[in-house]
Amino acid sequence: MRAVVFREFGGPEVLEVAEVPEPEPGPGEVRIAVEAAAVNPVDLATRAGWTVQAGLSPAPEGAFARGLGWDVAGRIDAVGAGVEGLRPGDAVITMLPAFAVPVGAQAEKVVVPAADVAPAPEGVEVAAAATLPLNALTAAAALDDLAAPEGSSLLVIGGAGGVGAFAVQLAVRAGLPVVATASARDEAAVRGYGAEVVRRDALPSGVDAVLDTAGTGAAALAPARDGGTLVTVAGPVPAERGIRSVQAEVRPDGARLAELAALAAKGELTLTVAGTYPLDDVAAAHERLAAGGVGGRLVLLP
């Protein structure tokens, strides 16, 4: 089968679509024929070598080929022994733990544990469905880490981003008053999610909790009240002033993903596709994402 791989760290030019062995599902696993796979900033970082430098994936030894991609939308085409409730032809989504596997979601087929799979959101196009797993699960995990009681004030830094947009919508549903940062271009969309909008240079102060989805670093502590909470998704931040500082971690979770997919199917989570690319044009997708200002998610269609 064909899959996106890279054999050295660098820019989009190191990406290639190579022939790799087709995986077979083992006990408790399913194989998915991938119909759509989103491109995320973490893919660009992995390709460039940043994740290795940060200690998030092992350094390669000698010749190597690594795949990319976390988000999968497609149809099951084979099931392993002991799998119940899933069958070939089922439309599903899942999050692949890309740091832990040699070939990622940006491939024609993937094998995952059946427990990591959720039904695709009904009535949602496959490209849009592929934008849900990684970012929505990350947002949900971050809100779990915040553990903010109903009515607590929350600042989301990066309210229009892939994780931030889901976090705003989920927090509003949970009864939290939300202030979120957004540019003038994205202000209307973020207000539509139910948040008050501010600019990055005019952050409020004294909020109960801060969720930083934009890699702000230590400056994200400033808006939090003494004894408040900061949750980050792009690296840990040392605590101060009694603030609890946590780095969110995301893991595959089929049951949680099914809940999020159901919200998306009802239109309660917004899925935005900015563009689609065939697998062979993965380098162009990386270039566009790196340029910024995309206004949605870019999706590969194997």
Side-chain angles (χ1 to χ4, degrees):
M1 70 170 190
R2 301 165 73 241
V4 174
V5 302
F6 61 98
R7 304 180 193 276
E8 60 182 312
F9 298 118
E13 72 280 354
V14 304
L15 298 173
E16 61 180 283
V17 179
E19 289 289 335
V20 302
E22 184 173 282
E24 294 294 336
E29 295 179 331
V30 299
R31 187 173 67 199
I32 302 171
V34 180
E35 296 178 348
V39 179
N40 291 288
V42 69
D43 298 323
L44 278 62
T46 302
R47 181 211 72 220
W50 177 85
T51 51
V52 171
Q53 297 165 16
L56 298 180
S57 82
E61 296 181 2
F64 78 110
R66 279 287 306 269
L68 292 171
W70 296 69
D71 292 306
V72 175
R75 291 187 180 273
I76 293 174
D77 79 341
V79 299
V83 173
E84 298 180 358
L86 295 170
R87 64 184 65 183
D90 287 351
V92 296
I93 57 175
T94 191
M95 189 200 94
L96 200 69
F99 290 146
V101 295
V103 175
Q106 295 166 15
E108 291 179 330
K109 296 185 179 183
V110 297
V111 166
V112 298
D116 295 350
V117 170
E122 293 185 9
V124 174
E125 293 186 355
V126 68
T131 70
L132 183 69
L134 174 61
N135 285 341
L137 283 172
T138 301
L143 291 174
D144 288 347
D145 288 333
L146 282 170
E150 184 174 351
S152 301
S153 56
L154 171 64
L155 168 65
V156 177
I157 302 176
V163 174
F166 288 132
V168 169
Q169 293 170 83
L170 292 171
V172 169
R173 290 190 79 258
L176 302 182
V178 179
V179 178
T181 65
S183 66
R185 183 198 66 185
D186 297 320
E187 180 173 349
V190 176
R191 288 190 187 281
Y193 301 152
E196 178 186 344
V197 174
V198 297
R199 300 290 184 259
R200 289 281 293 274
D201 60 357
L203 298 181
S205 61
V207 297
D208 295 314
V210 178
L211 172 54
D212 178 22
T213 72
T216 307
L221 290 164
R225 64 170 173 80
D226 293 355
T229 302
L230 168 67
V231 173
T232 64
V233 300
V237 172
E240 61 182 46
R241 295 189 287 112
I243 296 170
R244 182 173 65 94
S245 181
V246 182
Q247 181 179 2
E249 295 185 5
V250 62
R251 296 178 177 86
D253 184 337
R256 189 70 174 276
L257 185 56
E259 296 172 357
L260 296 165
L263 293 177
K266 292 187 291 186
E268 296 181 20
L269 288 179
T270 301
L271 309 177
T272 305
V273 177
T276 60
Y277 296 78
L279 205 61
D280 287 328
D281 288 348
V282 60
H286 276 229
E287 290 171 354
R288 183 175 176 192
L289 183 58
V294 173
R297 304 293 305 287
L298 303 179
V299 181
L300 300 175
L301 304 178

